[in-house]
Amino acid sequence: MRLRALLETDALGLRLLGGEDELDRGVRGVMTTDLRDPSRYLSGGELVLTGLAWRRSAEDSEPFVRILASAQVAGLAAGEAELGDIPDDLVQACSRHRLPLFAVNESVAFATITEYVVRQVSGERAGDLAAVVDRHRRLMTSGPAGGGPDAVLDLLGSDLDLRAWVLSPTGRQIAGVGEGLTAQTGAALAGEHLAAVRAGRRAPHRAVVAGVTYSLFPIRNTGRGAVAASRDVRESVLSDWLLAVEADAGDWPAARLDLLQGVTQLIAVERDRREAARTVRRRLAQEVLELVQTGAAPAEIAARLRVAAPVLLPGLGTAPHWQVVVARVDWGAESGIEAGPVAQSLLEEILVDPTAAGADSADRIAVAHTGDEAIALVPLPAVSPLGMEEDDTPPTDAGLHADALLESVRAPLSAGLDGDGRLTLGVSAAVHSAEGLRGALEEARHARRVAAARPGRVCAAGHHELASHVLLLPFVPDDVRRAFTARLLDPLRDYDRRHRAELIPTLEAFLDCDGSWTRCATRLHLHVNTLRYRVGRIEQLTGRDLSRLEDKLDFFLALRMS
């Protein structure tokens, strides 16, 4: 706005004392001060309001005005309540520095002027920003992204002084300018948003976290996978992003709310672009899954894995190990919701490292869906146990762990599922060949069924929980039994084949001798130290402890079932 507009507003009670030729100066803000030197608080373009408490003598006016002029303020408005008429020395100083000077009638509060200026300036900035957003939207919809969500959030910060972040449905920060949100705050905001959406409350949703007020705006999927507005909200609630703004939008004018809705639509364009980029990875996972489920030859599956590895782990020189994760979202038998795509989108989010910022951190995840299940093919770099550089067996603690996957997302997802939904997830052990993928898939599915038997909205189970006594139950699939046996014995067989170390015969003899070192060494015609070395190698390769009864039982059953 211009200084002239202030003078023409009768309600402000301003009288011009000098600087008529400078009334077209723009006003960017307002500041009230009675400091002798307010320069540290000035950035230029302000209308400065003062009650003249800084003036003790006529000599004080010149340095005060010189400071304002150097800071390039728009003008000075002095109140008449303190001294009555404005002193001539102040009028003359403003004239020398070409600084417009206004007198403020004692009946007009500075707060009235401040409120008017702020309202006018904010409205103009919103209009300017709306034009920028509209231009940015046209650029993004007709060509390459113009900086992505961060560029839009930067506009909100610079033009409207609003701090904002784009969050995933689990609270992971996808975009933001300046200081990021803590993981706890992000998860809390996502939980508040999901609960509000499930309750059918109208956006924006108000949330208070750690004493700070936020307004939450949903970012709807507008691409080919978008859910129609008339469809069940449960089909999209677990996949939509949200915009968290550090402000209370409850008293915002309609124009500003419309502007923020435009911002969410703009960010949705970028979300759709990144969603489309997942198509290749989803197709790879679907092709491998179909080969595994139809019983294709291991060589054919291995060929597809060689194609997938460079896409999911670019620059990797050796073939990775693989892990399978199965997820299912259940809304009840009568819901009629196609749960597969919901679980697929959600699993893609869950598998992202929660400490990784940005949407592109999900570019190494391949998830397919079949029926109501989502199935992830997770590559792991081929690493060797410490001191076993020549060995290609993965460490027993390598890869994903079921509880760790859900630790940071359980709270927000429980809010999104509250009432009638459940998420269950199963994680297989790592396998290093195509032959092991079918067993890994069945193992992950069985682990998910174990998780489904537990209470709670969000549950997970991993291969570590498929203990040997569980394998004795009749409902456990043969593939799970074979996967269990292979996981324990294949590392030993591979090592024996390369090194002729006879670890398998040593294990059998050790168990037959009930763990007696002397009897076993005598049976194998070995020195006890040599036997201890072999047993130590068995424990190192498998991650088991042959002094524990449970591990002895697992090895015993694996040898009998092999």
Side-chain angles (χ1 to χ4, degrees):
M1 65 178 302
R2 306 294 177 184
L3 284 173
R4 190 180 305 279
L6 294 174
L7 189 62
E8 294 171 351
T9 305
D10 294 337
L12 300 182
L14 297 179
R15 189 172 76 258
L16 183 65
L17 299 180
E20 185 175 0
D21 294 339
E22 305 293 332
L23 290 181
D24 286 329
R25 290 186 181 186
V27 180
R28 296 176 52 192
V30 62
M31 177 193 174
T32 300
T33 184
D34 276 311
L35 295 174
R36 297 170 71 89
D37 181 3
S39 58
R40 73 185 70 178
Y41 304 108
L42 298 171
S43 58
E46 297 93 348
L47 172 67
V48 176
L49 305 177
T50 181
L52 300 178
W54 50 267
R55 183 184 179 277
R56 294 180 174 85
S57 66
E59 287 74 22
D60 293 335
S61 294
E62 172 64 25
F64 181 78
V65 173
R66 187 189 314 117
I67 289 170
L68 299 187
S70 298
Q72 298 183 327
V73 303
L76 174 65
E80 296 178 324
E82 182 73 18
L83 300 178
D85 294 336
I86 305 301
D88 288 340
D89 49 90
L90 181 59
V91 176
Q92 293 169 9
C94 288
S95 177
R96 284 193 296 272
H97 291 280
R98 301 180 65 83
L99 181 66
L101 175 63
F102 302 89
V104 182
N105 190 282
E106 62 181 352
S107 64
V108 178
F110 282 178
T112 302
I113 300 174
T114 299
E115 181 181 357
Y116 179 83
V117 172
V118 169
R119 186 167 61 247
Q120 294 298 314
V121 171
S122 296
E124 291 177 0
R125 285 182 177 175
D128 292 342
L129 181 57
V132 173
V133 168
D134 184 63
R135 183 168 64 253
H136 201 70
R137 179 188 295 112
R138 290 196 300 270
L139 288 173
M140 291 181 69
T141 54
S142 62
D150 285 326
V152 183
L153 300 185
D154 186 52
L155 289 173
L156 286 177
S158 62
D159 285 31
L160 290 184
D161 196 26
L162 292 176
R163 300 178 66 206
W165 302 266
V166 177
L167 304 178
S168 77
T170 65
R172 181 176 59 87
Q173 183 172 318
I174 294 169
V177 177
E179 184 179 356
L181 296 174
T182 65
Q184 293 79 5
T185 299
L189 291 175
E192 293 278 356
H193 171 73
L194 291 173
V197 173
R198 285 302 313 276
R201 298 204 299 269
R202 185 176 180 180
H205 310 123
R206 184 178 184 273
V208 179
V209 177
V212 180
T213 301
Y214 300 86
S215 295
L216 310 177
F217 296 81
I219 300 173
R220 308 294 187 190
N221 183 2
T222 59
R224 287 180 295 177
V227 176
S230 59
R231 299 285 295 279
D232 196 313
V233 70
R234 292 174 293 182
E235 296 186 49
S236 61
V237 66
L238 297 177
S239 59
D240 284 342
W241 291 356
L242 67 134
L243 176 67
V245 181
E246 189 180 302
D248 188 347
D251 57 354
W252 283 3
R256 177 168 285 206
L257 288 173
D258 289 344
L259 172 62
L260 265 293
Q261 294 296 343
V263 169
T264 65
Q265 294 169 12
L266 181 56
I267 296 173
V269 174
E270 182 67 9
R271 182 191 187 282
D272 295 339
R273 289 183 185 277
R274 300 188 186 192
E275 182 76 10
R278 294 181 175 181
T279 303
V280 173
R281 299 190 298 277
R282 287 175 172 175
R283 186 182 301 120
L284 284 172
Q286 196 73 43
E287 291 174 355
V288 173
L289 176 62
E290 290 175 358
L291 291 174
V292 170
Q293 291 185 315
T294 56
E300 187 176 359
I301 299 175
R304 296 307 304 163
L305 291 178
R306 285 194 294 272
V307 172
V311 175
L312 302 179
L313 287 177
L316 189 66
T318 57
H321 302 289
W322 300 93
Q323 228 173 337
V324 176
V325 182
V326 173
R328 181 182 175 113
V329 175
D330 292 292
W331 297 108
E334 305 301 324
S335 69
I337 297 174
E338 187 182 0
V342 177
Q344 180 184 44
S345 179
L346 186 56
L347 186 54
E348 287 171 332
E349 170 60 29
I350 291 173
L351 291 176
V352 179
D353 182 351
T355 63
D360 290 333
S361 55
D363 62 359
R364 294 184 176 182
I365 297 165
V367 183
H369 74 83
T370 174
D372 289 338
E373 278 185 338
I375 301 169
L377 189 64
V378 182
L380 304 173
V383 293
S384 301
L386 185 62
M388 300 294 292
E389 289 82 2
E390 76 279 9
D391 182 37
D392 65 354
T393 302
T396 55
D397 61 348
L400 305 172
H401 293 263
D403 288 338
L405 278 178
L406 295 184
E407 181 178 356
S408 62
V409 302
R410 182 175 275 107
L413 293 184
S414 295
L417 294 161
D418 190 31
D420 54 1
R422 290 199 74 204
L423 167 68
T424 51
L425 185 145
V427 182
S428 80
V431 296
H432 63 282
S433 65
E435 292 89 341
L437 272 184
R438 180 171 176 80
L441 174 59
E442 292 302 325
E443 187 176 57
R445 281 174 166 164
H446 185 60
R448 192 206 63 77
R449 288 193 289 270
V450 171
R454 297 171 175 167
R457 293 286 171 197
V458 180
C459 299
H463 62 92
H464 295 97
E465 300 177 68
L466 303 183
S468 55
H469 66 277
V470 176
L471 299 177
L472 298 175
L473 299 176
F475 66 81
V476 178
D478 289 340
D479 284 325
V480 176
R481 298 173 191 263
R482 285 193 290 270
F484 174 81
T485 301
R487 185 168 69 252
L488 275 181
L489 301 184
D490 279 0
L492 307 182
R493 289 170 177 151
D494 292 344
Y495 192 86
D496 281 349
R497 186 170 56 252
R498 290 194 302 271
H499 303 285
R500 298 181 181 178
E502 298 187 347
L503 295 185
I504 291 290
T506 301
L507 176 61
E508 291 175 326
F510 187 75
L511 295 175
D512 286 343
C513 294
D514 297 324
S516 170
W517 296 98
T518 302
R519 287 164 48 200
C520 184
T522 300
R523 175 184 292 192
L524 295 175
H525 306 289
L526 296 174
H527 191 279
V528 172
N529 287 343
T530 302
L531 176 61
R532 290 185 184 279
Y533 173 81
R534 288 188 183 180
V535 171
R537 182 67 75 186
I538 291 170
E539 291 176 334
Q540 183 181 31
L541 288 170
T542 61
R544 299 302 185 102
D545 182 354
L546 279 167
S547 67
R548 297 179 68 250
L549 176 61
E550 294 88 344
D551 288 343
K552 287 179 182 177
L553 178 59
D554 283 354
F555 277 123
F556 177 83
L557 290 173
L559 288 168
R560 292 298 179 270
M561 290 189 295
S562 61

